Amino acid sequence: MRVADEPLLFTIDEKNRNVELTKRGEEYLAAGESDANFFVIPDLAQALHKIEINPDITKEETTSQKEKILNDFAIKSKRLHCISQLLKAYSLFEIDEEYVVLEGEVKIVDEGTGRILEGRRYSDGLHQALEAKENVKVGELTQTYATITLQNYFRMFHKLAGMTGTAETEAGEFWQIYKLDVVVIPTNKPVVRDDKEDLVYKTSREKFNAVIDEIASCTEKGRPVLVGTTSVDISEKLSRMLQLRGIQHNVLNAKQHQREAEIVAEAGNPGKVTIATNMAGRGTDIKISQQVKDAGGLAIIGTERHESRRVDRQLRGRAGRQGDPGSSQFFVSFEDNLMRLFNSERMITIMDKIGHKEGEVLQHSMVTKSIENAQKKVEENNFGMRKRLLEYDDVMNIQRAAIYKKRNHALYGDRLSVDIDYMFRSTLNHLVSNFKRTNDYDGFIRESIIVLGFEPEIDVAFFREAKEKDIINKFEDDFYSFYKRKEESMKEMLFPGIQKVHKEEGHRYKRIMIPYVDELMSQIPISAEIETAVKSNGETIMRDVESSIALSILDSNWKEHLRNMDELKESVQSATFEQKDPLVIYKMEAYKLFETLVYKMNVDITSYLAKGKLMFAVNQEIQEAKAPKSDFNKIQTNKSEENARRAAEGAGRSEPIQIQTVRNTGPKIGRNDPCPCGSGKKFKSCHGTDSV
């Protein structure tokens, strides 16, 4: 293998669907680059350790060198990941098998059903790689908002049950994952379908010629034929062969899924030939007439064995429904993927012993059993992959349950006050602990102002001499007093306006928007229940603000955490080279990431609530249309400055501010009119962009 691999740029592992660059491939791609190790990821642990034990560099230089190595590691990891995905797209994914191109888009085909998975995209840049391969518009990377495996989704239900005709082969998986038994129910009428032994050929060419001959033979007898294929490509190849023989037929695959009902309705007519992927007749019986029953019933022809026995059984099950006659026959060649990748050497040895020659067909129960054993190996392999995926998702499931519990509290208001109180205390405790360790009073005050927007009444002597617990208690008292004053001030400013809206427009509006922003003027959509606020005399206004802010910040942080977890899952796979279990490392690192997530959410929510301010639109006459063109920008700037100045003044007043709308007394500027600033552009494309 060393001699065979030496000239290769990359290697393909079809069985595990993986592609890996060789040393020569890395050198080939790095040709012309100044860095000889352009695609070589550094040993992170060793590199960081060398820096830590170096006595000749300062603390600042240590930090700088660590950041450089971490950045280099991240860039090269991403670079290798992109190359890997492109190689996978070109080497392992075939058009009209795993995906189709329709209307300028790459669409995934479900391997089990043969139907298009609308709206679904491969993750980790693989879909973009396929779009680049097929020369269609490359879409944006998708952002994951929520994720769960089907297994953990089904586990959320208290009761599970189901019915299918092919569950028996998966009984072990049902028990291991869901603790469900599989019970076989006898058929209503005896099955009289003739399931014949597989016909094995040496090459695909011989196999497909035999399939065409069998189709012609069945149609001459007046029997309808359903030909099952594993991909769109094979179904179209068979269609071309039938056209050459002049045999009328229908093709049902992911490209013609709109005609499914029409094609299935005709599939049972005498002499009708239907070529289909795994979608034909699923959930619908193919009806046959008495004439067809007398001729022998529906004939099922499989062009190759599928990786799963369930799919083969589903294809056989299209015939022989409710005691109807029928037959099923699979045609197999040694060039089929299943035979090529998973066939045992024992079967080849047997064929050699019996003197099998090219052009001859082999039909024996031992051969059929050997093929089924190969299918069992694939099923075991696929189950192992699903089980491994579930083990990874079990780690996420614990985190998901904790976050969604907090999210429900924020969404419905239950126990939100307890969560907010915990966030406040956690942030305050962390601030004190961080700076008390080094007795850095100035840093403590500075960080309190930056994070919380207020300066605690703690002097330097008390901070340095008192115990940490006493400082925390004093800090909490100061912060809660500050937050209470802020809450009362907001209530005084907002409640009169809410009362007025409730009195005049209460029959029309249920909620009212609250203009609450942080110091960066980033606004989270916040609204309050009008009727509830009036009934509680304004006490629920701040609760609605807290609910909206907690929900928004929690969601944005969770999305970022999901992306980090995906990257972690990719990065830990290299641990196998060090003879370590990637799952163990994943669990340890995932716990650290979750701790970071919780801390960041606590700080972000506390900071937004503590530092946020109310911003009001004030009464102002805007004269843009009457002003000279050269003064347009000046008027816009003065308007923004005046709004900010008045809002700042209003934030410190205790009396309510009357909320009024901004009115334009000049002529209205149309969206397609020239912009008054003189730029020559339309108003909608210049200073009117904010009004669109």
Side-chain angles (χ1 to χ4, degrees), residues 503-551:
K503 182 179 179 182
E504 297 176 359
E505 304 286 347
H507 61 288
R508 293 176 61 194
Y509 303 114
K510 299 297 180 185
R511 302 186 72 87
I512 187 168
M513 295 298 295
I514 297 177
Y516 193 82
V517 297
D518 65 0
E519 78 282 1
L520 298 176
M521 302 295 288
S522 60
Q523 187 172 359
I524 292 174
I526 300 171
S527 63
E529 284 270 1
I530 296 174
E531 191 169 344
T532 309
V534 171
K535 286 181 179 179
S536 67
N537 202 28
E539 295 298 325
T540 60
I541 295 174
M542 197 61 187
R543 304 293 80 78
D544 285 329
V545 172
E546 290 172 348
S547 175
S548 300
I549 290 171
L551 194 62

Side-chain angles (χ1 to χ4, degrees), residues 398-400 402-403 406 558 561 565 589-601:
I398 298 168
Q399 299 181 5
R400 188 185 299 119
I403 293 299
K406 284 181 178 292
W558 178 243
H561 179 70
M565 291 291 282
E589 294 300 322
Y591 180 74
K592 293 176 185 176
L593 276 179
F594 188 66
E595 280 189 321
T596 304
L597 167 71
V598 172
Y599 171 71
K600 188 174 183 300
M601 285 194 310

Side-chain angles (χ1 to χ4, degrees), residues 63-75:
T63 305
S64 175
Q65 289 186 24
K66 280 185 176 181
E67 286 181 358
K68 185 179 178 181
I69 288 174
L70 289 169
N71 287 336
D72 184 48
F73 180 83
I75 290 168

